[in-house]
Amino acid sequence: MRDFYGTTLPTGFMLGTAQYPSPAILAEAFRRSGASVATVSLRRESGQDRAGQDFWTLIRDLGVHILPNTAGCHSVKEAVTTAHMAREVFDTPWIKLEVIGEEDTLQPDVFGLVEAARILTEDGFQVFPYTTEDLVVADRLLNAGCEVLMPWGAPIGSGLGLNNIFGLRALRAHFPDVPLVIDAGLGLPSQATAAMELGYDAILLNTAVAKAGDPAAMAEAFALALKAGKLAQSADPMEPRDMAAPSTPVIGKAFLE
Amino acid sequence: MKLQLNGTPVHSDAPTLAALLTAQGYGDAKIATAVNGTFVPASLRADHALADGDSVEVLAPMQGG
């Protein structure tokens, strides 16, 4: 497993904490997923009900790395301020940087993303940028100080899988030494396997597990799929070809005409 | 003075951000704060004077993807 800003993760599974039917099911999904990282967010807290405090206790007890996000931020200023607030609350320099540029697809505003990444990196953050598979943007993010890239597979919450296999393969080939995480869009474990077969280092997902009929079972299914894909990638898969090639030896075949 | 606390109008005589948080029941809660869109670290809350019309945001851990 490649390391992420000096931290080697036991598995390449990063799992979101939103949309579960109950806190108990969330905890069970994490247990069966073997996830190494939990993504979290910040929202307004009331001084009366203090809902965030119970959630924090639940997440802390999962015993995984915490990756706070800047979800819902549409400007550089908003994202940078949210990152600072997250660093204080969660006591980590890690930040999943989202600067949303378009509402229908929740596509990142890659121009704002690069700018925010530079500001945060210079301030000591370790940025996990939610980006597209665009090679030029990737290069700019690395120049801004990012040491991890998180291209989308498909729009957040869509479950469409890997929309641009060519682009994702090209990204892997162009940056062989950079930890790459498929972030968003995965709906099925087979898509996670495909991501790992492409040579990606990790996946980050939420909805596919949380909104499954049985989230804990789906979490385990993704864990197995990740393991299969990673093993397959390390086993040096055969090259595909256009024409058939007989697998059964022809030599020694009886003449029966 | 009139303030906005997490988007809701409140009346408060709290002279500082720290005093406002205490008065509003946050106590020792795990929170982060911003005033008028600017992050105010916990270490500076006691020194951060509030003024009429200030907009205060108090955020806490929440589910996220």
Side-chain angles (χ1 to χ4, degrees), chain A residues 10-11 41 51 64 72 88 94 97 101 129 162 187 212 219 223-224 228 251:
Chain A
T11 69
S41 188
V64 298
E88 182 170 87
W94 284 11
L97 181 61
L162 306 178
L224 294 169
I251 297 171

Side-chain angles (χ1 to χ4, degrees), chain A residues 15-19 26 39-48 50-53 55-56 67 69 71 77 81-82 84-86 88-91 96 98 204 206, chain B residues 5-8 21 23-45 55-65:
Chain A
L15 186 56
T17 57
Q19 306 184 85
L26 183 158
T39 56
V40 293
S41 188
L42 285 176
R43 286 295 180 268
R44 286 171 166 173
E45 178 84 329
S46 157
Q48 277 69 53
R50 298 170 46 145
Q53 310 307 303
F55 173 71
W56 172 241
L67 178 58
N69 68 28
K77 179 179 186 300
T81 301
T82 301
H84 279 278
M85 297 174 86
E88 182 170 87
V89 165
F90 297 109
D91 195 25
K96 178 189 169 188
E98 296 184 31
L204 195 167
N206 190 153
Chain B
L5 177 60
N6 284 344
T8 301
L21 295 174
Q24 292 291 325
Y26 288 99
D28 59 354
K30 197 168 186 61
I31 52 172
T33 52
V35 177
N36 300 329
T38 300
F39 171 56
V40 180
S43 59
L44 299 181
R45 286 176 198 154
S55 177
V56 179
E57 293 286 340
V58 182
L59 306 186
M62 194 56 64
Q63 294 85 351

